[in-house]
Amino acid sequence: MKHNDPATAIQDILNFGEFGGVNPSITDSSTYTFLAADRMEEIFDHEIEGCYLYSRHWNPSNRYLADALAIMEGTESAQVTGSGMAAISNVMMQICSAGDHLIAGKTMYGGTYALLNNYLPRFGVETTLVDITNPDEIKSSIRPNTKMIYCEAMSNPLLEIADIPELSKLCIENNLKLVVDNTFTPLIISPYKLGADIVIHSLTKFINGSSDTVAGAICADKEFIDSLMDVNSGTTMLLGPVMDSMRSASVLKNLHNLHLRMRQHSRNALTIAGGLKKLGIRVRYCGLQEHPQYELMTNMMNDNFGYGGMVLLDLGTKKDAYDFMERLQKRKVGYLAVSLGFYKTLFSAPGSSTSSEVPEDQQDAMGMSEGLVRMSVGLDNDIERSFKIMVEELDAMGKLHTHTT
Ligand SMILES: *Cc1c(COP(=O)(O)O)cnc(C)c1O
């Protein structure tokens, strides 16, 4: 192990419920009683360990989940939010004020793209989009008012890998925060241990894994998390994207088998990507040696969780991409749906769905083709069967005979 194994660290958590329950009790309360009036005054002044005031600020169930995620990422502290977008927007609004500037990798989740390009400019926050794999471009984009470099550890939908140690150096030299969205690679990449300041997750995806809830998390040092929660000036305290206790309790239970799921997602994705590649289909998977950042990924990743569950195919045209997805759904390989990290394979055409917020000329600039199919490969027990169906359908579409001798 290059670092303390994050899955083992989670396994070691001991949190008893009331009456010795093996799961922590769920706190089904928005507010908390005080035996002494001056104690309430005290807690408005500063946090007191184990004392709760009001559930938008902190509640015990969210604390259990946040603490577990902090342990997973190796950060001092964490906070959970009602969605991944809430985590992203709150971090940006906590760090940036009117007149500030940030630098972001240009391939990213469509919602984040829209936030940076359409929404934050309303508040005087400007963004420069860069090729996150090009350090010179990033360096030359830094301005005196730049506050942050933002990227996805593995980018959506192009699956580019950010060189986190290199970006971290650049951030230290220029007094910037490095904020990394680790949604595609939980357990696999540990951005904080590699030098990021803040790690963000959409818990909606792999971490929860059951596609039954929307949730997010921010992992960072205690000073930053406390600043988000400050009753007078904290962004999450004042914008209020609080997660519900019932949901955080259920996400926490799913977190405990994340390592098994990631391993299976990775194993299945490698089978699909490697197999389709051999048949001459254009495939992008960071576990294939031809991936431009294969070596970087191999050096950065933790052992034993594989290269993740996300595979990108390019079928050339939108018509073929749509046709293929409809065929796969009919044959029960998976669902034609956005999102990721589910037990079934999910597939979508990013250009017209999860990245539709990105204008077409920008999609071209990113290298996105209209024939892309993004797959979140599921937990199939028999992935060979799913692979065989994919091959049959590609064959039926005439996609396997492009190499005539
Ligand atoms: C889904 C996603 C988000 C947004 O998360 P929500 O939970 O849907 O708000 C952010 N980043 C990435 C990479 C995502 O895949």
Side-chain angles (χ1 to χ4, degrees):
M1 288 287 152
K2 289 166 194 139
H3 302 291
N4 290 335
D5 165 15
T8 303
I10 296 171
Q11 178 92 31
D12 283 347
I13 297 171
L14 278 187
N15 278 326
F16 300 107
E18 216 182 346
F19 312 111
V22 294
N23 286 306
S25 303
I26 299 172
T27 299
D28 193 21
S29 295
S30 58
T31 190
Y32 304 80
T33 54
F34 289 80
L35 294 178
D38 59 353
R39 193 80 171 144
M40 185 182 278
E41 184 184 336
E42 231 180 295
I43 197 170
F44 262 97
D45 266 0
H46 62 273
E47 197 188 334
I48 303 169
E49 181 82 32
C51 263
Y52 293 88
L53 173 68
Y54 183 64
S55 283
R56 170 158 45 80
H57 184 239
W58 270 113
N59 71 66
S61 298
N62 289 359
R63 179 69 99 179
Y64 285 124
L65 176 60
D67 285 351
L69 292 166
I71 286 169
M72 178 178 87
E73 291 295 358
T75 57
E76 231 179 347
S77 188
Q79 172 61 296
V80 293
T81 55
S83 70
M85 280 312 299
I88 294 166
S89 57
N90 279 251
V91 165
M92 287 175 176
M93 294 177 96
Q94 184 69 19
I95 294 176
C96 298
S97 303
D100 287 341
H101 170 251
L102 59 92
I103 295 170
K106 68 178 151 206
T107 77
M108 64 173 119
Y109 179 68
T112 313
Y113 181 93
L115 175 74
L116 291 173
N117 282 279
N118 311 336
Y119 194 83
L120 288 182
R122 284 175 46 195
F123 301 94
V125 176
E126 254 193 284
T127 302
T128 302
L129 296 180
V130 297
D131 173 356
I132 206 68
T133 65
N134 181 347
D136 293 335
E137 191 185 345
I138 301 170
K139 252 182 240 168
S140 64
S141 305
I142 298 173
R143 305 178 191 169
N145 59 342
T146 306
K147 286 285 152 55
M148 164 195 317
I149 296 179
Y150 178 90
C151 67
E152 294 172 359
M154 177 186 286
S155 78
N156 178 63
L158 294 180
L159 314 181
E160 291 171 338
I161 305 299
D163 189 338
I164 298 168
E166 196 58 38
L167 291 172
S168 166
K169 257 190 245 157
L170 206 57
C171 284
I172 291 167
E173 282 164 20
N174 293 282
N175 196 26
L176 312 176
K177 294 263 189 244
L178 178 58
V179 180
V180 178
D181 179 337
N182 200 26
T183 299
F184 278 23
T185 42
L187 296 179
I188 297 173
I189 296 181
S190 298
Y192 185 80
K193 294 176 189 171
L194 294 166
D197 296 291
I198 297 164
V199 183
I200 291 175
H201 282 283
S202 166
L203 303 177
T204 315
K205 317 295 172 51
F206 288 105
I207 290 181
N208 185 51
S210 46
S211 292
D212 56 359
T213 191
V214 172
I218 303 161
C219 304
D221 54 26
K222 188 170 181 312
E223 190 188 345
F224 183 73
I225 299 298
D226 288 353
S227 74
L228 284 169
M229 302 312 297
D230 188 287
V231 293
N232 294 304
S233 60
T235 308
T236 50
M237 185 61 190
L238 299 177
L239 298 189
V242 70
M243 196 166 159
D244 182 74
S245 299
M246 302 287 182
R247 279 309 191 181
S248 53
S250 83
V251 174
L252 178 59
K253 283 174 273 191
N254 290 351
L255 178 67
H256 287 295
N257 53 47
L258 177 64
H259 57 300
L260 300 174
R261 291 186 282 112
M262 290 317 290
R263 222 170 270 151
Q264 186 75 2
H265 283 300
S266 293
R267 189 183 303 153
N268 287 351
L270 184 61
T271 300
I272 298 288
L276 292 179
K277 168 79 208 152
K278 270 195 203 132
L279 295 171
I281 300 293
R282 269 190 283 170
V283 181
R284 186 176 273 213
Y285 182 60
C286 72
L288 296 180
Q289 282 183 24
E290 74 208 25
H291 186 288
Q293 289 98 38
Y294 172 79
E295 262 181 49
L296 170 66
M297 176 72 183
T298 305
N299 288 330
M300 281 200 312
M301 68 197 233
N302 297 315
D303 294 339
N304 292 326
F305 306 109
Y307 288 84
M310 302 305 293
V311 175
L312 195 66
L313 309 185
D314 187 351
L315 295 179
T317 65
K318 180 163 145 178
K319 185 177 153 291
D320 280 350
Y322 282 19
D323 187 19
F324 185 57
M325 294 192 295
E326 286 170 6
R327 283 165 180 265
L328 292 191
Q329 180 159 259
K330 256 183 222 139
R331 305 253 346 242
K332 302 179 188 164
V333 168
Y335 295 129
L336 207 176
V338 296
S339 200
L340 40 132
F342 195 39
Y343 76 93
K344 255 187 147 43
T345 296
L346 302 179
F347 26 83
S348 56
S352 46
S353 60
T354 52
S355 298
S356 60
E357 297 91 339
V358 183
E360 267 175 35
D361 58 327
Q362 276 298 312
Q363 291 193 15
D364 289 343
M366 288 177 182
M368 279 180 59
S369 127
E370 58 162 27
L372 293 184
V373 174
R374 187 189 76 179
M375 277 198 202
S376 162
V377 179
L379 300 173
D380 307 40
N381 185 45
D382 184 0
I383 195 66
E384 292 294 342
R385 185 187 65 156
S386 301
F387 174 66
K388 224 177 112 219
I389 296 172
M390 286 183 199
V391 174
E392 283 168 18
E393 295 304 328
L394 287 166
D395 196 23
M397 289 168 62
K399 285 280 163 194
L400 296 185
H401 303 292
T402 46
H403 306 284
T404 43
T405 43

